[in-house]
Amino acid sequence: MSDARTPAQIEADIKRRRDQLAETLDEIGVRVHPKTIVGDAKAKVVSSVDHTVGRAYVGANRFVSDVRSRFVGEDGSPRIERIVPVALVAVGVVGLLVMGSRRRDS
């Protein structure tokens, strides 16, 4: 099996492969450069934090909506039958805390 290429074709092929190799080595150099590695790591951390914050926001929003739906009707009017007992409990707890702190101060 003989190579039917001319010396000029062989030289052009060698040059092309050399250029491809140089380009590949440049890409590898960029990928393993410390700044690139740090930048990639930062991007992954930011992406992870954004994802976590987004999930926390959705969870908090769902919680607030659930609590709101317990105290506000579908038409937006307050549900007095649910608000009054919670308000009374809150006032009672605050009163007990105030009385307890007064006893400690005496």
Side-chain angles (χ1 to χ4, degrees):
M1 180 176 216
S2 66
D3 193 359
R5 298 183 302 167
T6 65
Q9 290 172 326
I10 295 172
E11 285 179 16
D13 189 36
I14 291 172
K15 181 181 180 331
R16 183 181 52 78
R17 289 185 184 190
R18 187 179 295 139
D19 291 344
Q20 287 174 342
L21 180 59
E23 186 176 323
T24 301
L25 289 173
D26 287 344
E27 289 175 9
I28 291 171
V30 168
R31 287 182 187 173
V32 299
H33 193 279
K35 286 183 179 180
T36 303
I37 294 171
V38 169
D40 289 348
K42 283 181 182 178
K44 285 180 183 177
V45 168
V46 167
S47 175
S48 176
V49 168
D50 285 348
H51 180 71
T52 302
V53 168
R55 289 179 61 200
Y57 176 78
V58 168
N61 194 24
R62 187 175 297 135
F63 175 76
V64 168
S65 294
D66 183 47
V67 169
R68 184 177 186 275
S69 69
R70 294 175 191 264
F71 296 103
V72 177
E74 289 181 19
D75 61 351
S77 63
R79 293 177 145 176
I80 301 299
E81 72 278 2
R82 291 191 179 179
I83 294 173
V84 170
V86 172
L88 290 174
V89 169
V91 167
V93 169
V94 169
L96 290 173
L97 291 173
V98 168
M99 288 175 59
S101 68
R102 284 185 182 171
R103 286 185 183 164
R104 278 187 258 145
D105 292 342
S106 301

